[in-house]
Each structure stands twice: as C-alpha cells, then as structure tokens.
Amino acid sequence: SKIVDMGGRRENGGERDELGFGKEQYSTHLFTKESIRVVKDYGNRKHALEEQERYPSNETMNRTTESNNEPLPPLFLYLAFQAVHAPDQVPWAYKDRYSDRSDWSDVRKTYAGMLTAADEGIGNITKVIQNDYPDIR
C-alpha cells in the first residue's frame, strides 16, 4: 500500500482489506493498520515467551539467547496521526457524516471528518489491545 492524496475523490467500492479499507489509502488508516500490526506482533511475542516459561522444553532450556533471559519490556506505542494537519483531506465517508451541518463551513466539515478518522483509528487499536491482548501493559 502507498499513501494516496485523497484530493476530494470518492473512494471506490472495490476490494477491501481485513480492516475494510479500500485500495486508495488515507495516512490515518495506514498508521492505524501499522499500529495494530505492532500491537499484535508484541502480544504474540509476549504470549510465546510466557508459554516457553510455563512449558520449557529441552530446546528452550538449552538456549542462551537474550530474548529467553530477559522479559519483554512494556509496549510503548507512539502514534502521531497527521489527521488534523495539512493537507486538509479526508475520505468522503468521514466528511459526509457532517453534511447535515449547514451551519458549518466546508473546511470545518473536513476537519471534523479528519478528527473522526483519527478517533476511529485510536478506537480500533484500543479494541485490539482490550479484546486480544488485555495483559499488555
């Protein structure tokens, strides 16, 4: 995937990925997907290390790698969405949510859509942590 300038184009209803995003990607969606990948990777490594500690095999006990001697550090995920910064662009699906706000300018509707997309991304990441990896600290 690549970051695509939304340029006011409507996203087509074509092929979608596992999170429901189309081929033309919005940077907020890409940052969300990458953050979810990092969380899942960390959670899977954490669970694998816990399993090795619970059920050590001869192979595991003979290893002297650093990863077996030290626990994983806590997950620190710094996510800096560019959603509410220039360029002021957002997929139409987010901007259209505010089409009934006749008292808002087009710029304000775009900004609200950008913030909605960021909020949705944070919610998706939080949901993965809470549902799939509640022991991540």
Side-chain angles (χ1 to χ4, degrees):
S1 290
K2 63 181 179 174
I3 297 174
V4 175
D5 177 354
M6 294 311 295
R9 290 170 292 174
R10 291 191 181 269
E11 291 182 281
N12 62 16
E15 188 177 331
R16 303 254 174 225
D17 66 12
E18 68 278 358
L19 294 177
F21 301 123
K23 291 249 183 210
E24 291 183 355
Q25 296 292 313
Y26 183 53
S27 65
T28 301
H29 295 161
L30 293 176
F31 293 173
T32 298
K33 287 170 58 174
E34 180 62 12
S35 297
I36 289 172
R37 187 200 60 76
V38 167
V39 166
K40 287 182 174 184
D41 182 57
Y42 179 88
N44 292 337
R45 287 192 346 240
K46 182 172 175 42
H47 287 278
L49 288 174
E50 289 169 353
E51 287 297 308
Q52 286 177 1
E53 289 174 7
R54 255 187 249 138
Y55 307 105
S57 64
N58 289 336
E59 179 185 328
T60 303
M61 294 178 83
N62 292 332
R63 283 192 208 144
T64 58
T65 62
E66 186 176 316
S67 64
N68 286 330
N69 294 331
E70 297 180 21
L72 280 175
L75 174 64
F76 176 79
L77 180 65
Y78 179 79
L79 176 57
F81 283 127
Q82 302 205 354
V84 292
H85 298 287
D88 295 345
Q89 300 172 336
V90 67
W92 281 100
Y94 294 97
K95 188 174 180 176
D96 283 350
R97 294 180 190 185
Y98 301 100
S99 63
D100 62 336
R101 299 299 308 250
S102 59
D103 57 327
W104 285 10
S105 69
D106 193 54
V107 171
R108 186 170 184 180
K109 291 175 187 178
T110 299
Y111 184 84
M114 292 162 57
L115 192 55
T116 299
D119 187 51
E120 179 184 270
I122 293 166
N124 288 338
I125 296 163
T126 302
K127 191 182 309 178
V128 168
I129 293 171
Q130 290 174 339
N131 293 342
D132 299 343
Y133 307 101
D135 58 334
I136 289 181
R137 290 180 176 73

